[in-house]
Amino acid sequence: VEGSIDPVRDAATVETELMIADLESLERRIVPLQKKAQAGDREAKALVPVMESALKALQAGKPARSVKPSDPEQLKLFHSLFLLTAKPVLYVCNVDEESAATGNAYSAQVFEYAKEEGNEAVVISAEIEAQIAALTDPEEQKEFLKTLGLEETGLNRIIKAGYNLLSLLTFFTSGPKEAHAWTVHKRDLAPRAAGVIPSDFEKGFIRAEVVSYADYVACGGESKARETGKLRTEGKGYVMQDGDVVHFLFNV
């Protein structure tokens, strides 16, 4: 938004262009689908109401995401339409170096617009990001950010905002030789999380040994966390938390 006259108008213009593209796509596809539904095609019968709902919203000047179904089966059909305005939006405001910590009047407008839409916005300074990238020492990067009143890089803020927008979280597995980070959706249960490692883990899930990332680091690893009672055993109903360090037990 640096140098922009009206960033909200610019964002709205892009959204309008995307809605027009979605509208044209649905109008092109819906008539043949309606004919199939009338002929008794089961898949078409299920998809037509979802498509008609999205089409009605677009014709009223609203993005497809405004009618996103809550029913899991209808949601699956909704996603199969591959509509551009069904996707969540992350607005990235590029500001000058002096505004990197607090944003400016333009970015404030974008944040308000994103909030009204139920979307996300972040402020970054491309100039600062370029300077950080040139520093190879992590400690130098931290000191540089500190002098600017920043706690983390703009890239990190974009990643966090993206995860939040997509309702994602990260959990870790750690062994003697290596550690891995895995991504699942918020509210996913432990068996589903185990299944992202290999799918067989979900079917053979027995239980999970879990410790928070903060406790894992404070204890210096799994052994001390177990000794101090920070590591706990969870069953199939456990809802995964961001930063969990997990050891899954499963049947082969």
Side-chain angles (χ1 to χ4, degrees), residues 5 31 35 45 64 67 101 107 116-117 151 157 162 184 186 190 199 205 208 216 227 230 246:
I5 295 174
V31 174
K35 290 180 179 179
K45 281 184 177 181
V67 294
S107 64
E116 291 175 359
E117 287 187 324
E151 295 182 359
R157 291 197 296 276
V184 294
K186 292 178 181 177
S199 57
F205 179 90
Y216 186 90
E227 290 175 13
K230 298 296 185 181
V246 191

Side-chain angles (χ1 to χ4, degrees), residues 163 167-173 180-205 240 244 246 248 250:
Y163 264 59
S167 294
L168 300 175
L169 61 82
T170 299
F171 74 92
F172 303 93
T173 55
H180 286 280
W182 310 88
T183 299
V184 294
H185 287 90
K186 292 178 181 177
R187 297 178 295 280
D188 274 354
L189 301 181
R192 175 65 63 86
V196 305
I197 301 173
S199 57
D200 289 349
F201 277 25
E202 181 173 4
K203 292 182 288 185
F205 179 90
M240 298 296 295
D244 279 344
V246 191
F248 292 108
F250 63 98

Side-chain angles (χ1 to χ4, degrees), residues 11-103:
T13 298
V14 173
E15 181 86 321
T16 299
E17 292 173 351
L18 295 177
M19 285 193 291
I20 291 172
D22 281 345
L23 184 61
E24 292 174 346
S25 172
L26 289 183
E27 288 177 338
R28 185 172 60 251
R29 289 185 283 166
I30 195 167
V31 174
L33 194 70
Q34 287 171 331
K35 290 180 179 179
K36 284 185 178 182
Q38 291 170 357
D41 186 292
R42 290 179 60 186
E43 291 185 7
K45 281 184 177 181
L47 185 56
V48 163
V50 177
M51 186 178 285
E52 287 176 340
S53 180
L55 185 60
K56 185 177 179 180
L58 291 163
Q59 289 170 337
K62 299 178 182 178
R65 74 180 75 90
S66 66
V67 294
K68 190 175 179 180
S70 56
D71 177 77
E73 290 302 317
Q74 287 192 326
L75 184 60
K76 187 176 180 181
L77 293 171
F78 179 75
H79 287 316
S80 74
L81 298 176
F82 296 105
L83 300 174
L84 296 172
T85 59
K87 301 179 182 298
V89 178
L90 173 59
Y91 297 100
V92 180
C93 306
N94 179 29
V95 300
D96 57 72
E97 187 173 318
E98 288 72 23
S99 304
T102 59

